[in-house]
PDB file of all heavy atoms in Angstrom:
ATOM      1  N   ILE A1013      74.339 109.433 128.936  1.00  0.00           N
ATOM      2  CA  ILE A1013      75.459 108.488 128.912  1.00  0.00           C
ATOM      3  C   ILE A1013      75.293 107.592 127.691  1.00  0.00           C
ATOM      4  O   ILE A1013      74.268 106.935 127.527  1.00  0.00           O
ATOM      5  CB  ILE A1013      75.485 107.631 130.194  1.00  0.00           C
ATOM      6  CG1 ILE A1013      75.576 108.518 131.444  1.00  0.00           C
ATOM      7  CG2 ILE A1013      76.649 106.639 130.143  1.00  0.00           C
ATOM      8  CD1 ILE A1013      75.321 107.781 132.753  1.00  0.00           C
ATOM      9  N   THR A1014      76.305 107.574 126.845  1.00  0.00           N
ATOM     10  CA  THR A1014      76.296 106.745 125.644  1.00  0.00           C
ATOM     11  C   THR A1014      77.371 105.678 125.793  1.00  0.00           C
ATOM     12  O   THR A1014      78.518 105.995 126.112  1.00  0.00           O
ATOM     13  CB  THR A1014      76.587 107.592 124.384  1.00  0.00           C
ATOM     14  OG1 THR A1014      75.581 108.605 124.280  1.00  0.00           O
ATOM     15  CG2 THR A1014      76.594 106.731 123.132  1.00  0.00           C
ATOM     16  N   VAL A1015      76.989 104.420 125.556  1.00  0.00           N
ATOM     17  CA  VAL A1015      77.926 103.299 125.687  1.00  0.00           C
ATOM     18  C   VAL A1015      78.081 102.620 124.331  1.00  0.00           C
ATOM     19  O   VAL A1015      77.091 102.308 123.669  1.00  0.00           O
ATOM     20  CB  VAL A1015      77.431 102.273 126.729  1.00  0.00           C
ATOM     21  CG1 VAL A1015      78.385 101.090 126.831  1.00  0.00           C
ATOM     22  CG2 VAL A1015      77.258 102.939 128.096  1.00  0.00           C
ATOM     23  N   ALA A1016      79.316 102.407 123.936  1.00  0.00           N
ATOM     24  CA  ALA A1016      79.626 101.671 122.703  1.00  0.00           C
ATOM     25  C   ALA A1016      80.508 100.477 123.067  1.00  0.00           C
ATOM     26  O   ALA A1016      81.392 100.590 123.917  1.00  0.00           O
ATOM     27  CB  ALA A1016      80.359 102.579 121.715  1.00  0.00           C
ATOM     28  N   TRP A1017      80.242  99.351 122.447  1.00  0.00           N
ATOM     29  CA  TRP A1017      81.031  98.130 122.687  1.00  0.00           C
ATOM     30  C   TRP A1017      81.890  97.833 121.467  1.00  0.00           C
ATOM     31  O   TRP A1017      81.424  97.949 120.328  1.00  0.00           O
ATOM     32  CB  TRP A1017      80.103  96.952 122.966  1.00  0.00           C
ATOM     33  CG  TRP A1017      79.510  97.002 124.337  1.00  0.00           C
ATOM     34  CD1 TRP A1017      78.355  97.625 124.704  1.00  0.00           C
ATOM     35  CD2 TRP A1017      80.050  96.425 125.531  1.00  0.00           C
ATOM     36  NE1 TRP A1017      78.136  97.466 126.055  1.00  0.00           N
ATOM     37  CE2 TRP A1017      79.165  96.733 126.588  1.00  0.00           C
ATOM     38  CE3 TRP A1017      81.193  95.686 125.808  1.00  0.00           C
ATOM     39  CZ2 TRP A1017      79.392  96.326 127.893  1.00  0.00           C
ATOM     40  CZ3 TRP A1017      81.410  95.268 127.114  1.00  0.00           C
ATOM     41  CH2 TRP A1017      80.519  95.590 128.143  1.00  0.00           C
ATOM     42  N   VAL A1018      83.139  97.463 121.714  1.00  0.00           N
ATOM     43  CA  VAL A1018      84.076  97.085 120.663  1.00  0.00           C
ATOM     44  C   VAL A1018      84.650  95.707 121.008  1.00  0.00           C
ATOM     45  O   VAL A1018      84.535  95.252 122.149  1.00  0.00           O
ATOM     46  CB  VAL A1018      85.205  98.129 120.509  1.00  0.00           C
ATOM     47  CG1 VAL A1018      84.647  99.470 120.080  1.00  0.00           C
ATOM     48  CG2 VAL A1018      86.006  98.267 121.794  1.00  0.00           C
ATOM     49  N   PRO A1019      85.285  95.033 120.043  1.00  0.00           N
ATOM     50  CA  PRO A1019      85.779  93.680 120.324  1.00  0.00           C
ATOM     51  C   PRO A1019      86.785  93.589 121.473  1.00  0.00           C
ATOM     52  O   PRO A1019      86.674  92.697 122.319  1.00  0.00           O
ATOM     53  CB  PRO A1019      86.418  93.257 118.998  1.00  0.00           C
ATOM     54  CG  PRO A1019      85.694  94.058 117.966  1.00  0.00           C
ATOM     55  CD  PRO A1019      85.411  95.372 118.620  1.00  0.00           C
ATOM     56  N   GLY A1020      87.770  94.477 121.511  1.00  0.00           N
ATOM     57  CA  GLY A1020      88.790  94.394 122.552  1.00  0.00           C
ATOM     58  C   GLY A1020      89.330  95.766 122.901  1.00  0.00           C
ATOM     59  O   GLY A1020      88.988  96.773 122.264  1.00  0.00           O
ATOM     60  N   SER A1021      90.206  95.823 123.886  1.00  0.00           N
ATOM     61  CA  SER A1021      90.765  97.103 124.332  1.00  0.00           C
ATOM     62  C   SER A1021      91.512  97.821 123.219  1.00  0.00           C
ATOM     63  O   SER A1021      91.493  99.052 123.141  1.00  0.00           O
ATOM     64  CB  SER A1021      91.694  96.878 125.526  1.00  0.00           C
ATOM     65  OG  SER A1021      90.945  96.460 126.646  1.00  0.00           O
ATOM     66  N   PHE A1022      92.167  97.070 122.346  1.00  0.00           N
ATOM     67  CA  PHE A1022      92.929  97.685 121.259  1.00  0.00           C
ATOM     68  C   PHE A1022      92.030  98.484 120.317  1.00  0.00           C
ATOM     69  O   PHE A1022      92.475  99.451 119.704  1.00  0.00           O
ATOM     70  CB  PHE A1022      93.697  96.607 120.475  1.00  0.00           C
ATOM     71  CG  PHE A1022      94.694  97.169 119.515  1.00  0.00           C
ATOM     72  CD1 PHE A1022      95.911  97.669 119.968  1.00  0.00           C
ATOM     73  CD2 PHE A1022      94.429  97.211 118.163  1.00  0.00           C
ATOM     74  CE1 PHE A1022      96.839  98.208 119.085  1.00  0.00           C
ATOM     75  CE2 PHE A1022      95.347  97.742 117.264  1.00  0.00           C
ATOM     76  CZ  PHE A1022      96.558  98.237 117.730  1.00  0.00           C
ATOM     77  N   GLU A1023      90.773  98.110 120.223  1.00  0.00           N
ATOM     78  CA  GLU A1023      89.844  98.796 119.322  1.00  0.00           C
ATOM     79  C   GLU A1023      89.181 100.031 119.940  1.00  0.00           C
ATOM     80  O   GLU A1023      88.503 100.787 119.242  1.00  0.00           O
ATOM     81  CB  GLU A1023      88.762  97.821 118.843  1.00  0.00           C
ATOM     82  CG  GLU A1023      89.261  96.757 117.885  1.00  0.00           C
ATOM     83  CD  GLU A1023      90.068  95.642 118.535  1.00  0.00           C
ATOM     84  OE1 GLU A1023      89.804  95.299 119.712  1.00  0.00           O
ATOM     85  OE2 GLU A1023      90.972  95.108 117.858  1.00  0.00           O
ATOM     86  N   THR A1024      89.353 100.252 121.228  1.00  0.00           N
ATOM     87  CA  THR A1024      88.686 101.379 121.878  1.00  0.00           C
ATOM     88  C   THR A1024      89.117 102.748 121.348  1.00  0.00           C
ATOM     89  O   THR A1024      88.264 103.631 121.201  1.00  0.00           O
ATOM     90  CB  THR A1024      88.832 101.334 123.410  1.00  0.00           C
ATOM     91  OG1 THR A1024      90.213 101.321 123.761  1.00  0.00           O
ATOM     92  CG2 THR A1024      88.128 100.128 124.004  1.00  0.00           C
ATOM     93  N   PRO A1025      90.400 102.991 121.049  1.00  0.00           N
ATOM     94  CA  PRO A1025      90.780 104.344 120.631  1.00  0.00           C
ATOM     95  C   PRO A1025      90.075 104.854 119.373  1.00  0.00           C
ATOM     96  O   PRO A1025      89.737 106.041 119.306  1.00  0.00           O
ATOM     97  CB  PRO A1025      92.298 104.246 120.401  1.00  0.00           C
ATOM     98  CG  PRO A1025      92.732 103.140 121.302  1.00  0.00           C
ATOM     99  CD  PRO A1025      91.597 102.152 121.253  1.00  0.00           C
ATOM    100  N   LEU A1026      89.850 104.013 118.403  1.00  0.00           N
ATOM    101  CA  LEU A1026      89.211 104.481 117.169  1.00  0.00           C
ATOM    102  C   LEU A1026      87.804 105.000 117.439  1.00  0.00           C
ATOM    103  O   LEU A1026      87.417 106.066 116.950  1.00  0.00           O
ATOM    104  CB  LEU A1026      89.177 103.367 116.124  1.00  0.00           C
ATOM    105  CG  LEU A1026      88.497 103.734 114.798  1.00  0.00           C
ATOM    106  CD1 LEU A1026      89.207 104.911 114.128  1.00  0.00           C
ATOM    107  CD2 LEU A1026      88.459 102.521 113.883  1.00  0.00           C
ATOM    108  N   VAL A1027      87.045 104.275 118.235  1.00  0.00           N
ATOM    109  CA  VAL A1027      85.678 104.702 118.540  1.00  0.00           C
ATOM    110  C   VAL A1027      85.703 105.933 119.439  1.00  0.00           C
ATOM    111  O   VAL A1027      84.906 106.862 119.254  1.00  0.00           O
ATOM    112  CB  VAL A1027      84.862 103.540 119.147  1.00  0.00           C
ATOM    113  CG1 VAL A1027      83.473 103.997 119.556  1.00  0.00           C
ATOM    114  CG2 VAL A1027      84.780 102.391 118.144  1.00  0.00           C
ATOM    115  N   ILE A1028      86.622 105.972 120.377  1.00  0.00           N
ATOM    116  CA  ILE A1028      86.754 107.156 121.234  1.00  0.00           C
ATOM    117  C   ILE A1028      87.116 108.374 120.387  1.00  0.00           C
ATOM    118  O   ILE A1028      86.584 109.465 120.593  1.00  0.00           O
ATOM    119  CB  ILE A1028      87.771 106.903 122.362  1.00  0.00           C
ATOM    120  CG1 ILE A1028      87.104 106.032 123.427  1.00  0.00           C
ATOM    121  CG2 ILE A1028      88.293 108.206 122.950  1.00  0.00           C
ATOM    122  CD1 ILE A1028      87.938 105.703 124.617  1.00  0.00           C
ATOM    123  N   GLN A1029      87.999 108.188 119.428  1.00  0.00           N
ATOM    124  CA  GLN A1029      88.368 109.300 118.553  1.00  0.00           C
ATOM    125  C   GLN A1029      87.151 109.823 117.785  1.00  0.00           C
ATOM    126  O   GLN A1029      86.913 111.027 117.709  1.00  0.00           O
ATOM    127  CB  GLN A1029      89.454 108.877 117.577  1.00  0.00           C
ATOM    128  CG  GLN A1029      89.886 109.993 116.645  1.00  0.00           C
ATOM    129  CD  GLN A1029      90.972 109.544 115.698  1.00  0.00           C
ATOM    130  OE1 GLN A1029      91.022 108.395 115.268  1.00  0.00           O
ATOM    131  NE2 GLN A1029      91.866 110.457 115.387  1.00  0.00           N
ATOM    132  N   ARG A1030      86.374 108.923 117.225  1.00  0.00           N
ATOM    133  CA  ARG A1030      85.185 109.336 116.464  1.00  0.00           C
ATOM    134  C   ARG A1030      84.202 110.067 117.383  1.00  0.00           C
ATOM    135  O   ARG A1030      83.611 111.081 116.992  1.00  0.00           O
ATOM    136  CB  ARG A1030      84.527 108.103 115.852  1.00  0.00           C
ATOM    137  CG  ARG A1030      83.343 108.363 114.966  1.00  0.00           C
ATOM    138  CD  ARG A1030      83.665 109.041 113.637  1.00  0.00           C
ATOM    139  NE  ARG A1030      84.593 108.294 112.818  1.00  0.00           N
ATOM    140  CZ  ARG A1030      84.278 107.390 111.902  1.00  0.00           C
ATOM    141  NH1 ARG A1030      83.005 107.110 111.678  1.00  0.00           N
ATOM    142  NH2 ARG A1030      85.198 106.786 111.209  1.00  0.00           N
ATOM    143  N   MET A1031      84.029 109.565 118.603  1.00  0.00           N
ATOM    144  CA  MET A1031      83.120 110.219 119.544  1.00  0.00           C
ATOM    145  C   MET A1031      83.650 111.601 119.927  1.00  0.00           C
ATOM    146  O   MET A1031      82.884 112.562 120.014  1.00  0.00           O
ATOM    147  CB  MET A1031      82.920 109.338 120.776  1.00  0.00           C
ATOM    148  CG  MET A1031      82.138 108.057 120.482  1.00  0.00           C
ATOM    149  SD  MET A1031      82.113 106.910 121.877  1.00  0.00           S
ATOM    150  CE  MET A1031      80.593 107.424 122.676  1.00  0.00           C
ATOM    151  N   ALA A1032      84.952 111.709 120.143  1.00  0.00           N
ATOM    152  CA  ALA A1032      85.551 112.999 120.506  1.00  0.00           C
ATOM    153  C   ALA A1032      85.397 114.002 119.373  1.00  0.00           C
ATOM    154  O   ALA A1032      85.084 115.180 119.610  1.00  0.00           O
ATOM    155  CB  ALA A1032      87.021 112.817 120.861  1.00  0.00           C
ATOM    156  N   GLN A1033      85.573 113.570 118.160  1.00  0.00           N
ATOM    157  CA  GLN A1033      85.463 114.454 117.000  1.00  0.00           C
ATOM    158  C   GLN A1033      84.028 114.902 116.738  1.00  0.00           C
ATOM    159  O   GLN A1033      83.806 115.923 116.087  1.00  0.00           O
ATOM    160  CB  GLN A1033      86.028 113.763 115.757  1.00  0.00           C
ATOM    161  CG  GLN A1033      87.526 113.578 115.805  1.00  0.00           C
ATOM    162  CD  GLN A1033      88.047 112.672 114.695  1.00  0.00           C
ATOM    163  OE1 GLN A1033      87.314 111.872 114.122  1.00  0.00           O
ATOM    164  NE2 GLN A1033      89.332 112.794 114.409  1.00  0.00           N
ATOM    165  N   SER A1034      83.066 114.166 117.254  1.00  0.00           N
ATOM    166  CA  SER A1034      81.659 114.500 117.018  1.00  0.00           C
ATOM    167  C   SER A1034      81.230 115.793 117.690  1.00  0.00           C
ATOM    168  O   SER A1034      80.245 116.404 117.297  1.00  0.00           O
ATOM    169  CB  SER A1034      80.750 113.359 117.507  1.00  0.00           C
ATOM    170  OG  SER A1034      80.647 113.386 118.930  1.00  0.00           O
ATOM    171  N   GLY A1035      81.942 116.195 118.739  1.00  0.00           N
ATOM    172  CA  GLY A1035      81.573 117.391 119.474  1.00  0.00           C
ATOM    173  C   GLY A1035      80.369 117.204 120.384  1.00  0.00           C
ATOM    174  O   GLY A1035      79.859 118.163 120.944  1.00  0.00           O
ATOM    175  N   LYS A1036      79.918 115.973 120.556  1.00  0.00           N
ATOM    176  CA  LYS A1036      78.713 115.705 121.350  1.00  0.00           C
ATOM    177  C   LYS A1036      79.001 115.300 122.792  1.00  0.00           C
ATOM    178  O   LYS A1036      78.064 115.085 123.554  1.00  0.00           O
ATOM    179  CB  LYS A1036      77.889 114.609 120.677  1.00  0.00           C
ATOM    180  CG  LYS A1036      77.343 115.010 119.331  1.00  0.00           C
ATOM    181  CD  LYS A1036      76.536 113.900 118.708  1.00  0.00           C
ATOM    182  CE  LYS A1036      75.999 114.334 117.350  1.00  0.00           C
ATOM    183  NZ  LYS A1036      75.212 113.282 116.705  1.00  0.00           N
ATOM    184  N   PHE A1037      80.272 115.180 123.160  1.00  0.00           N
ATOM    185  CA  PHE A1037      80.601 114.660 124.485  1.00  0.00           C
ATOM    186  C   PHE A1037      81.498 115.622 125.251  1.00  0.00           C
ATOM    187  O   PHE A1037      82.408 116.227 124.691  1.00  0.00           O
ATOM    188  CB  PHE A1037      81.284 113.295 124.364  1.00  0.00           C
ATOM    189  CG  PHE A1037      80.399 112.263 123.724  1.00  0.00           C
ATOM    190  CD1 PHE A1037      80.465 112.012 122.362  1.00  0.00           C
ATOM    191  CD2 PHE A1037      79.461 111.569 124.467  1.00  0.00           C
ATOM    192  CE1 PHE A1037      79.635 111.084 121.751  1.00  0.00           C
ATOM    193  CE2 PHE A1037      78.622 110.645 123.868  1.00  0.00           C
ATOM    194  CZ  PHE A1037      78.711 110.403 122.511  1.00  0.00           C
ATOM    195  N   ASP A1038      81.238 115.715 126.558  1.00  0.00           N
ATOM    196  CA  ASP A1038      82.076 116.526 127.440  1.00  0.00           C
ATOM    197  C   ASP A1038      83.286 115.738 127.920  1.00  0.00           C
ATOM    198  O   ASP A1038      84.315 116.338 128.254  1.00  0.00           O
ATOM    199  CB  ASP A1038      81.261 116.995 128.655  1.00  0.00           C
ATOM    200  CG  ASP A1038      80.131 117.916 128.238  1.00  0.00           C
ATOM    201  OD1 ASP A1038      80.426 118.972 127.649  1.00  0.00           O
ATOM    202  OD2 ASP A1038      78.957 117.564 128.481  1.00  0.00           O
ATOM    203  N   ALA A1039      83.176 114.427 127.973  1.00  0.00           N
ATOM    204  CA  ALA A1039      84.288 113.563 128.366  1.00  0.00           C
ATOM    205  C   ALA A1039      84.013 112.150 127.863  1.00  0.00           C
ATOM    206  O   ALA A1039      82.853 111.773 127.641  1.00  0.00           O
ATOM    207  CB  ALA A1039      84.469 113.551 129.887  1.00  0.00           C
ATOM    208  N   LEU A1040      85.091 111.398 127.710  1.00  0.00           N
ATOM    209  CA  LEU A1040      84.996 110.015 127.241  1.00  0.00           C
ATOM    210  C   LEU A1040      85.794 109.114 128.155  1.00  0.00           C
ATOM    211  O   LEU A1040      86.818 109.514 128.718  1.00  0.00           O
ATOM    212  CB  LEU A1040      85.528 109.914 125.809  1.00  0.00           C
ATOM    213  CG  LEU A1040      84.735 110.728 124.794  1.00  0.00           C
ATOM    214  CD1 LEU A1040      85.534 110.957 123.535  1.00  0.00           C
ATOM    215  CD2 LEU A1040      83.423 110.024 124.483  1.00  0.00           C
ATOM    216  N   ILE A1041      85.317 107.880 128.270  1.00  0.00           N
ATOM    217  CA  ILE A1041      85.967 106.891 129.139  1.00  0.00           C
ATOM    218  C   ILE A1041      86.173 105.617 128.329  1.00  0.00           C
ATOM    219  O   ILE A1041      85.242 105.137 127.679  1.00  0.00           O
ATOM    220  CB  ILE A1041      85.096 106.561 130.367  1.00  0.00           C
ATOM    221  CG1 ILE A1041      84.767 107.827 131.162  1.00  0.00           C
ATOM    222  CG2 ILE A1041      85.773 105.504 131.243  1.00  0.00           C
ATOM    223  CD1 ILE A1041      83.656 107.639 132.184  1.00  0.00           C
ATOM    224  N   GLY A1042      87.375 105.082 128.371  1.00  0.00           N
ATOM    225  CA  GLY A1042      87.651 103.792 127.749  1.00  0.00           C
ATOM    226  C   GLY A1042      87.776 102.734 128.823  1.00  0.00           C
ATOM    227  O   GLY A1042      88.589 102.872 129.743  1.00  0.00           O
ATOM    228  N   LEU A1043      86.967 101.679 128.742  1.00  0.00           N
ATOM    229  CA  LEU A1043      86.991 100.607 129.737  1.00  0.00           C
ATOM    230  C   LEU A1043      87.385  99.289 129.074  1.00  0.00           C
ATOM    231  O   LEU A1043      86.883  98.942 128.007  1.00  0.00           O
ATOM    232  CB  LEU A1043      85.623 100.431 130.390  1.00  0.00           C
ATOM    233  CG  LEU A1043      85.075 101.618 131.183  1.00  0.00           C
ATOM    234  CD1 LEU A1043      83.688 101.291 131.723  1.00  0.00           C
ATOM    235  CD2 LEU A1043      86.020 102.001 132.313  1.00  0.00           C
ATOM    236  N   GLY A1044      88.261  98.563 129.726  1.00  0.00           N
ATOM    237  CA  GLY A1044      88.671  97.253 129.257  1.00  0.00           C
ATOM    238  C   GLY A1044      89.453  96.551 130.347  1.00  0.00           C
ATOM    239  O   GLY A1044      89.813  97.147 131.361  1.00  0.00           O
ATOM    240  N   VAL A1045      89.714  95.281 130.118  1.00  0.00           N
ATOM    241  CA  VAL A1045      90.539  94.498 131.037  1.00  0.00           C
ATOM    242  C   VAL A1045      91.527  93.699 130.193  1.00  0.00           C
ATOM    243  O   VAL A1045      91.116  92.923 129.333  1.00  0.00           O
ATOM    244  CB  VAL A1045      89.689  93.560 131.919  1.00  0.00           C
ATOM    245  CG1 VAL A1045      90.582  92.664 132.766  1.00  0.00           C
ATOM    246  CG2 VAL A1045      88.749  94.365 132.813  1.00  0.00           C
ATOM    247  N   VAL A1046      92.801  93.932 130.454  1.00  0.00           N
ATOM    248  CA  VAL A1046      93.864  93.216 129.760  1.00  0.00           C
ATOM    249  C   VAL A1046      94.641  92.432 130.807  1.00  0.00           C
ATOM    250  O   VAL A1046      95.208  93.014 131.733  1.00  0.00           O
ATOM    251  CB  VAL A1046      94.791  94.188 129.002  1.00  0.00           C
ATOM    252  CG1 VAL A1046      95.892  93.423 128.285  1.00  0.00           C
ATOM    253  CG2 VAL A1046      93.994  95.039 128.027  1.00  0.00           C
ATOM    254  N   ILE A1047      94.634  91.119 130.665  1.00  0.00           N
ATOM    255  CA  ILE A1047      95.310  90.238 131.631  1.00  0.00           C
ATOM    256  C   ILE A1047      96.574  89.691 130.980  1.00  0.00           C
ATOM    257  O   ILE A1047      96.526  89.126 129.886  1.00  0.00           O
ATOM    258  CB  ILE A1047      94.375  89.095 132.069  1.00  0.00           C
ATOM    259  CG1 ILE A1047      93.098  89.678 132.697  1.00  0.00           C
ATOM    260  CG2 ILE A1047      95.089  88.161 133.050  1.00  0.00           C
ATOM    261  CD1 ILE A1047      92.011  88.664 132.972  1.00  0.00           C
ATOM    262  N   GLN A1048      97.689  89.856 131.663  1.00  0.00           N
ATOM    263  CA  GLN A1048      98.979  89.395 131.151  1.00  0.00           C
ATOM    264  C   GLN A1048      98.963  87.884 130.956  1.00  0.00           C
ATOM    265  O   GLN A1048      98.536  87.146 131.827  1.00  0.00           O
ATOM    266  CB  GLN A1048     100.100  89.771 132.127  1.00  0.00           C
ATOM    267  CG  GLN A1048     101.480  89.368 131.676  1.00  0.00           C
ATOM    268  CD  GLN A1048     101.910  90.101 130.406  1.00  0.00           C
ATOM    269  OE1 GLN A1048     101.825  91.308 130.316  1.00  0.00           O
ATOM    270  NE2 GLN A1048     102.354  89.350 129.423  1.00  0.00           N
ATOM    271  N   GLY A1049      99.425  87.469 129.813  1.00  0.00           N
ATOM    272  CA  GLY A1049      99.554  86.042 129.526  1.00  0.00           C
ATOM    273  C   GLY A1049     101.023  85.666 129.477  1.00  0.00           C
ATOM    274  O   GLY A1049     101.876  86.342 130.060  1.00  0.00           O
ATOM    275  N   ALA A1050     101.333  84.624 128.731  1.00  0.00           N
ATOM    276  CA  ALA A1050     102.705  84.128 128.643  1.00  0.00           C
ATOM    277  C   ALA A1050     103.580  84.976 127.720  1.00  0.00           C
ATOM    278  O   ALA A1050     104.799  84.876 127.767  1.00  0.00           O
ATOM    279  CB  ALA A1050     102.693  82.685 128.156  1.00  0.00           C
TER     280      ALA A1050
END
């Protein structure tokens, strides 16, 4: 299990893309929490 931290949910796709392109992972999970504001 490899865990990478990014600043916010918006930044998760770029790192997930790089991990997916590496060919080293069978599956990827993006975790974040976005709370509605005003």
Side-chain angles (χ1 to χ4, degrees):
I1013 302 168
T1014 301
V1015 178
W1017 285 89
V1018 297
S1021 292
F1022 191 77
E1023 290 75 31
T1024 58
L1026 179 60
V1027 176
I1028 283 181
Q1029 180 180 33
R1030 184 69 59 91
M1031 291 172 93
Q1033 291 170 339
S1034 76
K1036 295 180 180 180
F1037 298 95
D1038 296 300
L1040 297 161
I1041 303 166
L1043 298 178
V1045 174
V1046 180
I1047 301 171
Q1048 181 65 50

